[in-house]
Amino acid sequence: LAGDITQKGYEKKRSKLLGAYLPHPPVSADQHTGIIQIKRLEGSMAHERRPPMASSASRYHRRRSSGTRDERYRSDVHTEAVQAALAKHKERKVAVPMPSKRRSLVVQTSMDAYTPPDTSSGSEEEGGQGEGTPTSSQGSIGMEHWISRAIHQGSTTSSSSSSTQSGGSGAAGRLADVLAQTHNHSAPPDVTTYTSEHPVQVERPQVSTVPRTTPKYGNAKLMETGDGVPVSSRVSAKIQQLVNTLKQPRRPPLREFFVDDFEELLEVQQPDPNQPRPEGSQMVAIRGEPLGVVTNWPPSLEAALQRWGTISPKAPCLTTMDTNGKPLYVLTYGKITLFNYSHTYNDQHPIRSCLKSDAFPLLSFHEQVALVFPNNDPAAFMVAFYGCLLAEVVPVPIEVPLTRKDAGSQQIGFLLGSCGVTVALTSDACHKGLPKGPTGEIPQFKGWPKLLWFVTESKHLSKPPRDWFPHIKDANNDTAYIEYKTCKDGSVLGVTVTRIALLTHCQALTQSCGYTEAEIIVNVLDFKKDVGLWHGILTSVMNMMHVISIPYSLMKVNPLSWIQKVCQYKGKVACVKSRDMHWALVAHRDQRDVNLNSLRMLVVADGSNPWSISSCDAFLNVFQSKGLRPEVICPCASSAEALTVAIRRPTDDSNQPPGRGVLSMQGLSYSVIRVDSEERLSVLTVQDVGTVMPGALMCVVKPEGVPQLCRTDEIGELCVCSIATGMSYYGLSGMTKNTFEVFPMTSSGAPISEYPFTRTGLLGFIGPGGLVFVSGKMDGLMVVSGRRHNADDIVATALAVEPMKFVYRGRIAVFSVTVLHDERIVVVAEQRPDSTEEDSFQWMSRVLQAIDSIHNVGVFCLALVPANTLPKTPLGGIHLSETKQLFLEGSLHPCNVLMCPHTCVTNLPKPRQKQPEIGPASVMVGNLVSGKRIAQASGRDLGQIEDNDQARKFLFLSEVLQWRAQTTPDHVLFTLLSSRGTVLSSLTCLQLHKRAEKIAAMLMERGHLQDGDHVALVYPPGIDLVAAFYGCLYAGCVPITVRPPHPQNIATTLPTVKMIVEVSRSACVMTSQVISKLLKSKEASAAVDVRSWPLVLDTDDLPKKKPPQLYKPSNPDTLAYLDFSVSTTGMLAGVKMSHTATSAFCRSIKLQCELYPSREVAICLDPYCGLGFSRGLDLSRVRTCVVVAEERPRIALTQSFSKLFKDLGLHPRAVSTSFGCRVNLAICLQGTSGPDPTTVYVDMRALRHDRVRLVERGSPHSLPLMESGKILPGVRIIIANPETKGPLGDSHLGEIWVHCTHNGSGYFTVYGDEALQSDHFNSHLSFGDTQTVWARTGYLGFLRRTELTDASGERHDALYVVGALDEAMELRGMRYHPIDIETSVIRTHKSIMECAVFPWTNLLVVVVELEGSEQEALDLVPLVTNAVLEEHYLIVGVVVVVDIGVIPINSRGEKQRMHLRDGFLADQLDPIYVAYNM
């Protein structure tokens, strides 16, 4: 394709491409069938058909502020390909759930976030490769016009319409139509209907969740979820939608992976057997034409300057422009020579130096100096630069720091520091504009060395004597200057260029561009580095040319200025970027007298960006009629390391068309060149960047590994061997070796040359005729699953998806992050200030589809940020590495995020298949299971130790109290303390006995209760509760302790009380007067009917008399009390405790903790269930502080507690934990004697497979586990497989089973579900010791025999609890404990205060509590997803961000994850943000 496509050809091709997708029958506006109407995105080809407009400037500003697309990436073919791909997608309708967002967040991201257009635009990648474009050649007719036409007229096939109206697809698409119709741009309604190929009609009552104004969309249909639970909430509808979306077949088929016995292995991407492979022969290095030495070429640049300054001092060297386009200053060769002498003299004679300062250090030769000049002052820069060359100091040109925290400024400071820069030269105006401290001094910029600022204006310089001339040497190998270069990771390197390389490069440019004396060159580029420096400052002086420098600020005001200057000065050469050509296109309408026939060469500096071709074509198309010849356009390729790599020569022979290549994107991703017809969707059109530079040798090598030559049809990195390249990275010898000292090899391993080559950082190939083609940059390369993708190509595809002109000024950043051993693509775009939630979501879903179709790669994360918020480079492009840094640390503050881990992550380990366990047939010898010791352990024996104990005679607690009341009546049993630590009341043995008698009398008289009746005790913790408990025992009733309702929260706490009273079949409720009034209050009757309570007795006024006789149980196995509690999974159950168990329990604890009558015990526990009811924490002079852990001990908590109270004399070994559960209230408890509790580190990956593998502290995937105290006397423990009930070996993970006298005797349930009871309380092993009756604790753990000895002299067996079976989640066949995932999540960001996870329909839902501003909510989504993927190999399905305090926690401090799940599904959490990961 030479030139441009004709209108007729275009129409023909368009109809062919889109014929299959255009709707034929007209669709009425209310049908909403979700048909995507494809219309042409009008582009640079349609310029001529536009209606003429008003004045250019006003139109330019109007259009510019509309924030449009970056034309560097403009290609009509590509735009059509994207639209066609999207049309294909609409056939596979998939409803994508839209994220839910709190209203305040929606409002925040609207117009308030809009800041006025700033100095810049564009989406340049690092190195300033084009600063984007703020305008577009789109039609000027408003967007609304097209929407209304699309709605009212039905389908339109007009080729000039400029939008594509399409929904995400399915429900989202139809929703888009409704929104467009109603113009309701507030918070969008939720997507609730789920559309499959044929919409499913569910005949069920419909529950409305949205006002009835839009009846068609407001009804969330009741749906069966994956668990078969009917749920009628918006949330579950969305989750269902997500599940259905994820059921869609994924493109990369997952191969069968293999699993090592001990390790989950990540899937290694196998190469595709059908992938294209290079087939050509090995390439040959290409040599440029010889560098013809012209006799009068100067021996160095300084010599050239001196020669012109002497021969023709009046010749203009540089003209600078002000912002009105008027010449500001003309620097002649005579002046520049004089100034330079002053500079050099002052640099070499600092005593008479400037700034009235005598502290200015003497600059030694070859020392580095920073040049800090603004973009609008090339004259001052040029003088300073040549002054440094003459004085033989090394200039380091850098950007002007505007604030203390410029993006990337810290890295520049690091470069200056590593170059040893101590002096900065700057202009007066720039010096005045630098940020100043309170005393007027220039502050130290972050990361910068201490600098002396030196102003270079002539008034500050002393004149050199008449007879003084600098000594001018010939060019040698000393460093001439250092050019900075920003890497992919944001670090800044300094490339050193020697004097001989500088001179040779100027000679090569002069020869290839055909420069002659006194030619006029118009330069729009940055003159401090790269092409702008080489042509506009260096080569121009060598040839005594006249440079017209156009500052960036003038281009912003008047984009046509450079073309006007070419006409005005009859410029022969212009140096521009494709962005400048595009700007000129937009603004050229009113220029009548443009004539470009003086131009013989138009250097396109970013010709190495393959997307520059469209700007070149469009520019030629428009300006050919204004005298521009096609052969004038000369793209060049350059890099900081290799300087100019290739440039197209300005030929007079217009018959030789420039080279074009239409390459298949699929081939390119495998680094293979496959020429494609433009019929295919995914192609990249590249133009040649001319031939190799004079005197240089070029070859193409494989980008990774050994620098081996590529084949002729293979893409690789271009390498150049020439004098005119950079020499090194300053101070970095290792990196220098890899870049500047490369020896390419043939396939046999022989080097192709004895001279080293320099890597250019450009990817491409050498085509026929020695033409060089560049397809991308190494810095923009992303290798995903073994295929290579170029960031620029993905930006181009995203920009082609613009039905609404959605992206603000085309500002898109694309980079990759490494998650789970592969690169993942992240796209960040600035959205227009006026875009609605629906626009955003629609654009995001379409970008995903387009990138998927065209590049065959998934986007891991797509984030939208408000306009003008991404960090900028000095010329206004996007600072890519800084953006990536913000993304990774969670400070990007996006206003919309869409994560697609389900589609992208294809290297997860294989879901686990359960292995058959060892059966009874395996060899079991004594206590060994297949070669391992059986995991069993026991505490001391209770029987032999207690013979001398008086209390041994008494079987019942009530008898013990009676005996105590007689023998030690005044011994204080209980003391109640206030929150300040003062004693509120106390109770001696006798007082307790007396009080219990009165309560027993009251129960018999007023309550008319029989033996064995159940009594609910509803008291706050304290002495009344204890007295009521013993009163019940005296009366022969069975007490049930119940937590009283919370007066501030009656509605939720009272029903629980009522439920326990009902389920426990209590005949009577005993309570205090205050609570008894509360039960009958108005608030309470709203929650529970007052008449439904059984008899309520208050114990504040007790009868005076004693009961006739105290009850004595006939059988020790009868019920003593019921222990009711709600588990973390929300199950309410009462455990029956017999008198035998109760006494044994107390004896066991007494023994373990060595409790004597004189010892004080502080109880800080809930006295309603479990351990807290039976005893407390033994802090007798703080010997032991026991943390009661229902689950795995929390190490961090115990350690920080010890640290906190260390200064108060708390011994760290005194802090330990206990373990108890439903079937047995106390299994382990750290006693006073016995070894210290140990901590081990286990591999989390092995735990998921129910295996224990001990690892060193700090190894990856390690999890610390603390021993749960010492096993109590009389307790036996064994570890059994929960499924097969077989015993397990030492250090195997299984369920903890316990056998002891104080086990509970069963569940007390209304329905008496015997199966449940017998299983939990009376289990037998399936083989081995099948006689013993065990109780199952429901907790997973393991026993490990340690090297320590316990009190009895035996080796100590430590019990480690891993977590509850009820709480554990089975995902992908592996067992996960929520606490582990939650720990990983909490670590990801400082604002996450708490986290809870639960599974729902095989999806993992993560709920995080956010402390901080709501704007941080969306930062958490990618961080949480990444952390869980990296550490647990799990894909998060839904991330919910909520306020602090939303995750419910019970009185024991345990998270109620099931309540949270129910609240989430019933839509009761009021989340800040809900993200559904795709």
Side-chain angles (χ1 to χ4, degrees), residues 12 64 163 379 436 702 937 1188 1194:
K12 189 173 164 191
R64 191 168 154 210
S163 92
K436 302 278 194 301
K702 295 196 173 8
V1188 176
R1194 290 194 262 184

Side-chain angles (χ1 to χ4, degrees), residues 365-370 388 392-396 421 479-482:
F365 286 143
H366 312 312
E367 200 171 313
Q368 285 75 23
V369 182
C388 290
E392 294 185 56
V393 294
V394 179
V396 185
V421 172
T479 302
Y481 71 99
I482 294 178

Side-chain angles (χ1 to χ4, degrees), residues 78 275-278 608-611 661-676 680-687 700 703-704 712-717 763-766 773-777 780-784 786-794 797 854-857:
H78 193 63
Q275 74 179 49
R277 288 186 166 73
S608 55
N609 179 341
W611 296 94
V662 181
L663 310 180
S664 139
M665 290 253 192
Q666 170 76 357
L668 283 176
S669 72
Y670 292 107
S671 295
V672 176
I673 300 161
R674 289 288 174 267
V675 176
D676 217 317
R680 280 287 307 282
L681 285 183
S682 44
V683 293
L684 177 70
T685 307
V686 288
Q687 63 180 345
V700 184
E704 278 99 30
T712 49
D713 60 344
E714 193 175 0
I715 298 272
E717 186 174 7
L763 292 167
F765 60 97
I766 299 174
F773 289 87
V774 177
S775 62
K777 291 190 182 59
L781 192 65
M782 302 180 290
V783 184
V784 182
R787 286 177 55 224
R788 298 157 191 279
H789 302 279
N790 216 298
D792 278 339
D793 300 348
I794 288 179
T797 300
I854 286 181
H855 302 275
N856 249 11
V857 68

Side-chain angles (χ1 to χ4, degrees), residues 1415-1429:
Q1415 273 69 64
E1416 286 182 0
L1418 283 87
D1419 283 315
L1420 307 181
V1421 178
L1423 295 183
V1424 167
T1425 308
N1426 292 0
V1428 177
L1429 251 176

